[in-house]
């Protein structure tokens, strides 16, 4: 296929605007999905994705289409995730495309992620093919929505294609639009090979599979490739396209997208954004890579039963990381929870998805600690340190100017984001209030149309990761949409709260809060723990402190819970059953010193309400 006959495109949209449904349509139309293997939402492969109806990992699929004048085109659909946490995945998928289908739901209109994805596409200079979806809906407002698209997305009314992926209206015009209006790949056929590695995963049978986009030159089985990043050499063992599963082609030409299997041993070697070139055809400079995925939210992951389950958890996490290289993993040792891992995620949804996979696909029960952002702490000697674990956060900050020793902490900075919220005007005030409550600073407000506004706020990421999205949704009856983009660091006043049970500090429960909320938060934690820790055989004190200063405390009186008391007489079996039950209950507890803490107690502290 010469580049003129290749179109690499992606579909971008706000979540639920019909991307997966349209993708299925296109695959059906080009015969990739036939009656037999027709599984709805083909591209959403992972179990979690199917359950949640979201795409986490991008999938790619080749299609062939013959036009009326008899030319056969190769179209590569490169799927992208639709959630803010995965913007990183979106931009790397877009790097293999020349065009995008930009979908807007004909009753929902332009939403926060429509805008975010639109900007990502514009930044990469892609041709935009505007499509208005779900026009079969009663609530469609095609005129209003196309006016919005014209105004906000810089498209012309005549170019907007109204479709329904559900009933099929106009779906047959989508591919002709891509062929006609979409750009062809712009690489050089005669130049030395440059292939962009844009995705990879681990296959039990083949090992590491890399998705590549052949920018210049051609790629063939048997060639020896060099990674521009590691300079390691690899021999290509298999080459092909995804159609929809792996189909061997033995070569990929300029502009094509496909997979390669080479002798890479670990997924870590397949560095997304890397350039591969031929050993016998050196290149002067690699393709522009991507910014590596930066974990924004960290949490500890521990096995419930630290003595017996650590190895199992380790295997499980290692396996998961083979399919999701954006999770950042280090060992963590907690006094309270034993050995575990510190995991960095792109965002809260990413963390949720990871947790769900951990439980579902491998059946390991785990404790995940309160998520935290990465703070930057400045010391008296001018050094700075990134802190992703509350336990490494200083107990106090020095305000004096003189007589400081080098490792006295003097200031803390927290990550901030620019949040874009789109909502109906009538919820405007509630949204503003929520943002202000969460230490936000208003940037600007734009009217999208008569009854919708787009609000920009500068906010600490810490506030966003704690329940912000759910609050926003409930305040606006589900109408508000959110997107955010990281925007550096800002000085702030935060303190670490230490939780102590019977004077013993429980490291896994410590967390970082704004200084002026410390009293309130401390009270809240202590209350929650009091409710959750069932009365023990001894008196239990629960305290919350900043440094060594206790700012909230509670005491639980001693109590002996005798579950067999009710079974007078000689009913031994019943007694035994009850005792067994109690034993089982104990298993779900974590022992801190002499105190048993039920798992719910941890979870309750980790939940904001
Ligand atoms: P995605 O999140 O963008 O991938 O959206 P989906 O393709 O999963 O669609 C979200 C929901 O909208 C699903 O319940 C679809 O059945 C529905 N949907 C998709 N396209 C249409 C359409 O053209 N008309 C109607 N009425 N519903 C649609
Ligand atoms: Mg989808």
């Amino acid at each position: 296929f010469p580049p003129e006959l290749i179109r690499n495109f992606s579909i971008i949209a706000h979540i639920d605007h019909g991307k997966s449904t349209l993708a299925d349509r296109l695959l059906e139309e080009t015969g990739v999905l036939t009656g037999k293997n027709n599984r709805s939402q083909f591209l959403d492969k992972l179990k979690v994705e199917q359950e949640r109806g979201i795409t986490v990992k991008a999938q790619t699929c080749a299609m062939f289409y013959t036009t009326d004048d008899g030319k056969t085109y190769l179209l590569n659909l490169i799927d992208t995730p639709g959630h803010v946490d995965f913007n990183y995945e979106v931009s790397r998928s877009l790097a293999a495309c020349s065009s995008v289908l930009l979908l807007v739901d004909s009753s929902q209109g332009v939403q926060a992620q429509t805008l975010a994805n639109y900007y990502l596409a514009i930044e990469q200079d892609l041709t935009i093919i505007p499509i208005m979806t779900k026009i079969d809906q009663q609530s469609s407002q095609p005129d209003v929505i196309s006016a919005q698209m014209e105004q906000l997305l810089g498209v012309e009314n005549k170019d907007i294609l109204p479709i329904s992926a559900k009933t099929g209206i106009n779906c047959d015009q989508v591919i002709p639009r891509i062929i006609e209006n979409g750009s062809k790949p712009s690489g050089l056929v005669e130049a030395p090979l440059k292939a962009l590695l844009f995705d990879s995963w681990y296959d039990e049978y083949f090992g590491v599979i890399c998705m590549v986009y052949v920018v210049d030159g051609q790629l063939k089985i048997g060639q020896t490739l060099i990674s521009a990043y590691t300079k390691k050499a690899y021999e290509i063992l298999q080459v092909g396209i995804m159609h929809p599963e792996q189909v061997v082609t033995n070569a990929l030409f300029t502009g094509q997208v496909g997979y390669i299997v080479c002798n890479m041993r670990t997924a870590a070697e397949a560095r997304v954004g890397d350039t591969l070139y031929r050993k016998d055809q050196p290149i002067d400079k690699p393709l522009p890579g991507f910014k590596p995925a930066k974990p924004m939210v960290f949490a500890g992951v521990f096995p419930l039963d630290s003595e017996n389950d650590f190895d199992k958890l380790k295997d499980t996490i290692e396996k998961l990381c083979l399919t999701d290289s954006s999770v950042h993993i280090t060992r963590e040792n907690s006094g309270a929870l034993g050995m575990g891992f510190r995991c960095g995620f792109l965002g809260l949804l990413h963390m949720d998805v990871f947790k769900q996979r951990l439980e579902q696909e491998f059946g390991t029960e785990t404790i995940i600690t309160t998520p935290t952002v990465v703070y930057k702490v400045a010391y008296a000697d001018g050094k700075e340190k990134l802190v992703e674990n509350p336990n490494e956060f200083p107990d106090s900050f020095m305000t004096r100017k003189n007589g400081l020793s080098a490792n006295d902490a003097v200031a803390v900075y927290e990550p901030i984001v620019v949040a874009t919220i789109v909502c109906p005007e009538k919820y405007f005030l509630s949204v503003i209030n929520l943002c202000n409550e969460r230490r936000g600073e208003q940037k600007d407000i734009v009217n999208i149309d008569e009854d919708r506004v787009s609000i920009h706020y500068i906010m600490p990421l810490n506030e966003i990761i704690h329940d912000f999205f759910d609050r926003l949704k409930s305040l606006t009856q589900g109408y508000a949409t959110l997107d955010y983009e990281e925007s550096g660091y800002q000085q702030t006043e935060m303190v670490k709260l230490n939780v102590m049970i019977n004077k013993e500090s429980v490291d896994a429960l410590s967390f970082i809060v704004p200084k002026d909320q410390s009293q309130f938060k401390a009270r809240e934690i202590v209350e929650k723990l009091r409710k959750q820790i069932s009365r023990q055989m001894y008196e239990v004190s629960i305290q919350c402190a900043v440094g060594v200063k206790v700012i909230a405390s509670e005491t639980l009186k001693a109590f002996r819970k005798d579950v067999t008391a009710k079974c007078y007489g000689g009913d031994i079996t019943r007694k035994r059953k009850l005792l067994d039950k109690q034993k089982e209950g104990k298993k779900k507890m974590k022992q801190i010193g002499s105190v048993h803490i039920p798992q719910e107690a941890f979870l309750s502290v980790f939940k904001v309400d």
Side-chain angles (χ1 to χ4, degrees):
F1 279 89
E4 299 80 66
L5 297 179
I6 298 176
R7 298 289 181 272
N8 298 330
F9 70 101
S10 197
I11 309 180
I12 55 176
H14 187 80
I15 198 150
D16 272 351
H17 281 197
K19 196 179 68 168
S20 304
T21 313
L22 175 61
D24 284 350
R25 273 274 169 196
L26 300 181
L27 295 174
E28 259 169 48
E29 219 156 285
T30 52
V32 179
L33 293 186
T34 58
K36 263 194 204 123
N37 62 359
N38 193 349
R39 185 152 58 83
S40 124
Q41 312 242 313
F42 175 81
L43 293 170
D44 295 345
K45 259 191 199 160
L46 291 163
K47 202 165 164 191
V48 202
E49 293 176 349
Q50 285 186 344
E51 258 167 37
R52 298 188 168 216
I54 54 164
T55 307
V56 176
K57 209 161 166 53
Q59 307 285 347
T60 299
C61 188
M63 295 177 266
F64 298 94
Y65 183 88
T66 306
T67 49
D68 294 338
D69 56 7
K71 278 192 207 152
T72 299
Y73 286 81
L74 166 60
L75 299 138
N76 289 302
L77 166 57
I78 296 158
D79 196 30
T80 60
H83 189 276
V84 281
D85 281 3
F86 304 104
N87 270 354
Y88 157 78
E89 294 251 350
V90 178
S91 45
R92 76 189 203 192
S93 308
L94 293 185
C97 297
S98 318
S99 333
V100 291
L101 303 180
L102 177 59
L103 310 191
V104 178
D105 183 319
S106 60
S107 59
Q108 304 280 307
V110 173
Q111 296 290 342
Q113 282 146 42
T114 317
L115 292 170
N117 284 323
Y118 167 71
Y119 291 126
L120 288 176
I122 291 287
E123 261 168 41
Q124 305 204 15
D125 246 341
L126 305 181
T127 308
I128 290 176
I129 300 169
I131 293 182
M132 183 160 50
T133 60
K134 307 195 192 181
I135 55 163
D136 61 290
Q137 291 177 119
Q138 291 274 301
S139 51
S140 284
Q141 295 182 288
D143 297 339
V144 177
I145 306 302
S146 43
Q148 249 179 43
M149 291 172 72
E150 271 186 282
Q151 195 206 327
L152 296 163
L153 308 175
V155 299
E156 282 188 52
N157 199 0
K158 64 170 176 51
D159 292 332
I160 302 172
L161 180 66
I163 67 159
S164 164
K166 191 175 178 183
T167 63
I169 308 170
N170 287 346
C171 286
D172 57 343
Q173 289 179 44
V174 176
I175 290 179
R177 288 263 171 137
I178 299 170
I179 289 174
E180 231 166 86
N181 303 344
S183 318
K184 63 178 176 65
S186 56
L188 307 168
V189 181
E190 303 297 333
L193 170 72
K194 274 186 192 175
L196 176 71
L197 197 167
F198 68 95
D199 193 13
S200 74
W201 65 91
Y202 189 83
D203 182 283
E204 302 256 309
Y205 186 67
F206 292 103
V208 182
I209 298 185
C210 301
M211 287 302 301
V212 295
Y213 168 44
V214 179
V215 177
D216 293 330
Q218 48 182 275
L219 186 151
K220 283 192 176 130
I221 189 163
Q223 283 172 345
T224 303
L225 301 186
I226 308 282
S227 146
Y229 183 67
T230 62
K231 301 284 185 264
K232 274 194 191 168
Y234 298 101
E235 190 191 340
I236 305 180
L237 307 172
Q238 202 191 106
V239 187
I241 58 172
M242 301 301 288
H243 185 65
E245 303 295 339
Q246 288 150 252
V247 175
V248 173
T249 60
N250 290 333
L252 292 172
F253 298 96
T254 314
Q256 267 191 291
V257 170
Y259 74 92
I260 58 171
V261 176
C262 55
N263 49 332
M264 279 191 188
R265 278 183 302 113
T266 64
E269 284 175 73
R271 192 174 179 276
V272 164
D274 198 355
T275 303
L276 302 172
Y277 59 88
R278 285 175 61 170
K279 194 176 175 198
D280 53 3
Q281 287 184 342
I283 52 169
D284 21 322
K285 64 171 198 268
L287 301 161
F290 319 116
K291 280 189 291 188
K294 203 163 78 185
M296 312 261 272
V297 180
F298 282 79
V301 177
F302 297 90
L304 195 55
D305 178 350
S306 43
E307 269 148 49
N308 298 312
D309 283 347
F310 177 77
D311 286 337
K312 193 169 152 208
L313 179 68
K314 180 168 169 278
D315 288 349
T316 305
I317 286 185
E318 277 169 4
K319 254 192 192 161
L320 278 179
C321 289
L322 290 176
T323 56
D324 186 353
S325 56
S326 51
V327 185
H328 186 271
I329 306 282
T330 48
R331 280 286 183 92
E332 177 172 9
N333 223 323
S334 153
L337 301 177
M339 281 206 295
F341 295 91
R342 190 89 196 145
C343 301
F345 304 100
L346 302 173
L348 272 197
L349 178 79
H350 187 207
M351 178 168 111
D352 255 24
V353 167
F354 183 83
K355 187 179 168 201
Q356 204 179 335
R357 270 191 213 164
L358 199 63
E359 282 170 3
Q360 258 182 12
E361 293 180 21
F362 301 96
T364 316
E365 219 176 330
T366 52
I367 293 178
I368 298 196
T369 63
T370 317
T372 162
V373 298
V374 182
Y375 293 94
K376 204 186 270 176
V377 176
Y379 293 86
D381 61 1
K383 289 213 174 82
E384 281 183 346
K385 196 178 140 197
L386 292 176
V387 173
E388 59 195 45
N389 189 330
N391 297 318
E392 290 160 16
F393 197 82
D395 277 320
S396 60
F397 288 90
M398 299 299 167
T399 44
R400 285 176 286 130
K401 284 271 178 309
N402 302 315
L404 293 173
S405 54
N407 48 6
D408 281 339
V410 291
V412 59
Y413 301 82
E414 66 180 329
I416 54 167
V417 297
V418 177
T420 304
I421 298 163
V422 174
C423 72
E425 189 148 26
K426 66 175 169 183
Y427 300 114
F428 174 71
L429 277 178
S430 340
V431 171
I432 297 282
N433 283 338
L434 174 66
C435 293
N436 290 337
E437 204 179 282
R438 298 298 183 95
R439 300 187 288 137
E441 183 194 314
Q442 202 178 99
K443 216 175 134 201
D444 60 42
I445 295 165
V446 181
N447 280 311
I448 289 190
D449 57 29
E450 269 155 38
D451 51 32
R452 273 172 353 110
V453 288
S454 162
I455 304 166
H456 281 102
Y457 255 84
I458 297 173
M459 296 187 56
L461 178 61
N462 179 50
E463 298 290 338
I464 299 230
I465 67 170
H466 291 121
D467 208 33
F468 182 77
F469 191 52
D470 289 344
R471 292 272 294 133
L472 185 67
K473 281 284 183 197
S474 69
L475 280 176
T476 60
Q477 296 177 319
Y479 280 113
T481 56
L482 167 75
D483 196 89
Y484 57 83
E485 208 181 335
E486 56 180 309
S487 180
Y489 276 80
Q490 166 174 292
Q491 191 169 358
T492 177
E493 298 220 333
M494 307 293 278
V495 294
K496 173 166 72 174
L497 294 181
N498 290 311
V499 174
M500 292 179 292
I501 311 269
N502 280 355
K503 315 265 186 219
E504 233 181 284
S505 164
V506 185
D507 55 358
L509 290 182
S510 59
F511 60 100
I512 299 163
V513 298
K515 194 174 176 187
D516 54 8
Q517 292 174 21
S518 56
Q519 186 63 52
F520 166 76
K521 294 277 185 196
R523 199 60 253 155
E524 202 179 61
I525 299 168
V526 167
E527 278 294 316
K528 275 185 183 164
L529 282 172
R530 184 182 60 83
K531 279 197 205 124
Q532 293 288 340
I533 299 179
S534 47
R535 291 210 242 160
Q536 310 277 322
M537 286 193 278
Y538 347 82
E539 202 170 87
V540 178
S541 84
I542 306 169
Q543 295 173 312
C544 196
V546 173
V548 288
K549 192 174 150 221
V550 174
I551 60 173
S553 73
E554 281 281 345
T555 306
L556 279 171
K557 290 278 178 277
F559 177 67
R560 173 82 168 98
K561 197 168 165 192
D562 187 353
V563 292
T564 61
K566 277 182 284 191
C567 315
Y568 34 81
D571 190 350
I572 290 290
T573 38
R574 180 136 173 256
K575 217 167 191 168
R576 174 141 313 138
K577 255 189 207 152
L578 278 168
L579 283 171
D580 281 352
K581 227 180 188 169
Q582 194 185 30
K583 221 157 97 209
E584 220 163 75
K586 278 245 173 68
K587 265 207 274 176
K588 294 221 162 186
M589 304 221 178
K590 274 280 165 189
Q591 188 165 0
I592 308 290
S594 55
V595 184
H596 289 280
I597 302 183
Q599 194 192 5
E600 296 82 64
F602 281 102
L603 299 180
S604 76
V605 175
F606 300 155
K607 235 173 67 195
V608 194
D609 43 24

